[in-house]
C-alpha cells in the first residue's frame, strides 16, 4: 500500500471511530411528564418527582431526559398531549394532575409504561384492574383526595358550626365532579346542613361564582378537589377572604396561600413516590408488578392569621389535631 493511500485509510478510520463509539453508547431514556396543570404552580412538586428519580440513580440531564407537556387546566388538551409523548416514543409516561391525565395516557398507548398520580379512584375509572394487581402497562400513586369530601365537611362544621348552608365550588369539566357532589350532599345531610353548589369551569367564572355565594349568604365553603383549581389557588384563597367566607381546601398550598384550612395528603411526598416508581420502571420493573401506592397520612393545616381576619376562633380540639398551624 502506498503511503498516501495508507494515510487516507487512517483518516477515514479516525473519522468513523467517534461515530461508532457513540453508537455503542446506551441512549439516554426519555420520560414523558404529562400534567393537566401548569408549570409554575407545580414547580416544587416537579422537583419532588425529580428527587424520587434521583433516589433510583436517575438524574435529569445526566441519566434521563424529561419531556414536559402541560394542559394548563384544559382537560380537552390531554389526549393530544399524550399522543405527542407516545409519538416521541418515551420510555415511561408520568401522568400527573388528576384522573384525566391517566385516562388520556392509557388511551394513547398499551405498550409504554405509565405511572399515574391522581386523587380519583383508579379502579372505578378503569385505569387499573385492582390496587394490588394493577395489570397491563399502568401503575401509580392514588391520593384518594376525593374520598375525603365527608371529612372536610366535618372539619368545616367543627370550625363554623353556625353555618346552616355550606357552599361547594366545583368545575363542571372535571371527570369526577358528579361523584364528588353526591358525596358532599350526603355528608352535608348527615350534618344537618344544606349544600349549595356553584360551578366555575374557567378563571373568568370565579368572580360570578363568589358573588353568587355571597348573595346566597353561604356560611362556609368547600372547594372541590380539582387540578384546575390548583392552578388558581392564590386567586381562590383571595376571593374567599374578600368575600369573608370560611373555606376548606384539599392541599396545604391553599392554606399557605391564605386559605383558612386544608385537609389532604402530602403532595410532595406523592410526587416523590411517583418519581421512584418511574425510576424503577426505567431499571426494568414491570408496571403490572407494582401495586398502586396509597397515602398513609393525611395533613390538617390551619391558617390562624386568616381565621382572625374572618373573626373566627379555632376550637382548641381542632388546633390539637392540626399537623401545621400557620400564624
Amino acid at each position: 500500500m502506498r503511503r498516501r493511500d495508507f494515510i487516507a485509510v487512517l483518516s477515514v478510520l479516525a473519522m468513523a471511530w467517534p461515530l461508532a463509539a457513540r453508537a455503542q453508547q446506551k441512549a439516554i431514556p426519555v420520560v414523558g411528564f404529562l400534567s393537566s396543570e401548569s408549570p409554575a404552580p407545580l414547580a416544587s412538586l416537579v422537583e419532588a418527582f425529580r428527587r424520587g428519580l434521583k433516589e433510583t440513580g436517575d438524574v435529569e440531564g445526566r441519566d434521563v431526559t424529561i419531556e414536559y407537556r402541560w394542559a394548563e387546566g384544559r382537560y380537552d388538551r390531554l389526549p393530544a398531549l399524550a399522543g405527542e409523548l407516545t409519538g416521541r416514543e418515551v420510555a415511561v409516561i408520568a401522568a400527573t394532575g388528576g384522573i384525566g391525565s391517566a385516562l388520556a395516557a392509557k388511551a394513547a398507548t398499551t405498550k409504554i409504561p405509565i405511572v399515574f398520580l391522581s386523587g380519583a379512584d383508579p379502579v372505578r375509572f378503569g385505569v387499573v384492574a385492582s390496587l394490588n394487581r394493577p395489570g397491563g402497562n399502568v401503575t401509580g400513586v392514588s391520593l384518594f383526595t376525593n374520598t375525603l369530601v365527608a371529612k372536610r365537611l366535618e372539619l368545616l362544621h367543627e370550625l363554623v358550626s353556625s353555618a346552616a348552608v355550606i357552599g361547594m365550588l366545583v368545575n363542571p369539566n372535571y371527570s369526577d365532579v358528579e361523584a364528588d357532589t353526591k358525596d358532599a350532599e350526603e355528608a352535608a345531610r348527615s350534618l344537618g346542613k344544606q349544600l349549595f353548589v356553584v360551578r366555575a369551569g374557567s378563571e373568568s367564572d370565579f368572580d360570578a361564582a363568589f358573588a353568587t355565594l355571597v348573595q346566597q349568604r353561604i356560611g362556609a365553603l368547600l372547594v372541590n378537589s380539582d387540578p384546575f383549581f390548583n392552578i388558581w389557588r392564590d386567586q381562590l384563597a383571595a376571593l374567599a377572604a374578600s368575600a369573608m367566607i370560611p373555606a376548606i381546601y384539599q392541599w396545604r398550598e391553599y392554606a399557605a396561600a391564605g386559605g383558612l384550612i386544608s385537609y389532604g395528603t402530602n403532595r410532595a411526598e406523592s410526587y416523590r413516590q411517583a418519581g421512584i416508581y418511574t425510576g424503577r420502571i426505567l431499571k426494568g420493573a414491570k408496571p403490572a408488578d407494582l401495586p398502586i401506592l396509597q397515602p398513609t397520612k393525611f395533613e390538617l393545616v390551619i391558617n390562624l392569621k386568616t381565621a382572625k381576619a374572618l373573626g373566627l376562633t379555632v376550637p382548641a380540639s381542632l388546633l390539637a389535631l392540626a399537623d401545621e398551624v400557620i400564624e
Side-chain angles (χ1 to χ4, degrees):
M1 180 182 292
R2 290 180 299 177
R3 182 173 181 274
R4 183 168 54 187
D5 294 337
F6 179 70
I7 292 173
V9 170
L10 287 178
S11 298
V12 172
L13 290 174
M15 293 172 59
W17 181 82
L19 296 175
R22 284 197 295 271
Q24 291 176 357
Q25 292 177 351
K26 186 178 180 180
I28 296 178
V30 179
V31 170
F33 189 96
L34 176 66
S35 176
S36 58
E37 300 186 44
S38 300
L42 216 69
S44 63
L45 301 180
V46 172
E47 183 56 36
F49 177 80
R50 293 193 189 103
R51 285 200 305 272
L53 272 175
K54 189 176 181 180
E55 288 181 37
T56 67
D58 292 310
V59 176
E60 183 181 11
R62 186 191 72 186
D63 311 290
V64 64
T65 299
I66 303 179
E67 289 228 356
Y68 299 92
R69 296 293 186 275
W70 305 95
E72 306 276 356
R74 291 271 307 278
Y75 298 147
D76 58 333
R77 296 181 58 194
L78 288 168
L81 296 175
E84 289 180 14
L85 293 174
T86 57
R88 179 73 169 79
E89 296 183 350
V90 296
V92 184
I93 295 177
T96 71
I99 199 68
S101 295
L103 290 170
K106 183 173 182 178
T109 179
T110 58
K111 296 180 179 179
I112 298 174
I114 297 167
V115 176
F116 73 84
L117 198 154
S118 171
D121 184 348
V123 177
R124 182 164 63 84
F125 275 93
V127 175
V128 294
S130 73
L131 298 179
N132 291 330
R133 298 180 180 276
N137 64 319
V138 184
T139 187
V141 183
S142 182
L143 306 179
F144 283 104
T145 56
N146 302 78
T147 63
L148 301 177
V149 168
K151 182 62 178 178
R152 291 193 188 99
L153 280 176
E154 289 176 14
L155 291 168
L156 198 56
H157 168 65
E158 187 172 352
L159 184 57
V160 196
S161 58
S162 60
V165 182
I166 296 177
M168 182 179 184
L169 180 67
V170 302
N171 171 16
N173 303 317
Y174 184 52
S175 304
D176 220 19
V177 64
E178 291 184 8
D180 289 351
T181 303
K182 182 180 178 181
D183 289 345
E185 287 172 344
E186 292 177 357
R189 194 178 305 116
S190 68
L191 293 169
K193 306 291 184 181
Q194 180 183 344
L195 190 74
F196 183 84
V197 179
V198 290
R199 294 166 176 80
S202 67
E203 183 197 4
S204 60
D205 296 332
F206 290 158
D207 287 340
F210 275 87
T212 300
L213 291 171
V214 171
Q215 184 181 19
Q216 294 294 322
R217 297 182 179 180
I218 297 301
L221 174 66
L222 167 68
V223 175
N224 195 38
S225 301
D226 190 315
F228 166 68
F229 290 153
N230 297 340
I231 297 173
W232 305 103
R233 59 178 180 252
D234 290 359
Q235 290 87 335
L236 290 173
L239 283 167
S242 177
M244 295 294 288
I245 299 176
I248 189 168
Y249 313 84
Q250 71 269 42
W251 307 123
R252 178 198 176 277
E253 290 88 346
Y254 284 88
L260 175 61
I261 184 173
S262 67
Y263 183 73
T265 57
N266 185 311
R267 279 219 295 173
E269 175 60 18
S270 298
Y271 272 80
R272 186 185 72 85
Q273 290 176 331
I276 291 173
Y277 257 20
T278 300
R280 289 181 62 182
I281 290 172
L282 290 174
K283 297 291 189 295
K286 304 297 183 184
D289 298 330
L290 298 175
I292 305 303
L293 296 173
Q294 302 172 65
T296 57
K297 185 178 185 298
F298 300 96
E299 296 181 331
L300 173 63
V301 182
I302 300 172
N303 191 318
L304 274 187
K305 182 178 179 181
T306 300
K308 291 176 183 177
L310 292 170
L312 292 175
T313 299
V314 180
S317 58
L318 206 55
L319 287 173
L321 292 174
D323 296 277
E324 182 182 358
V325 176
I326 299 174
E327 300 187 70

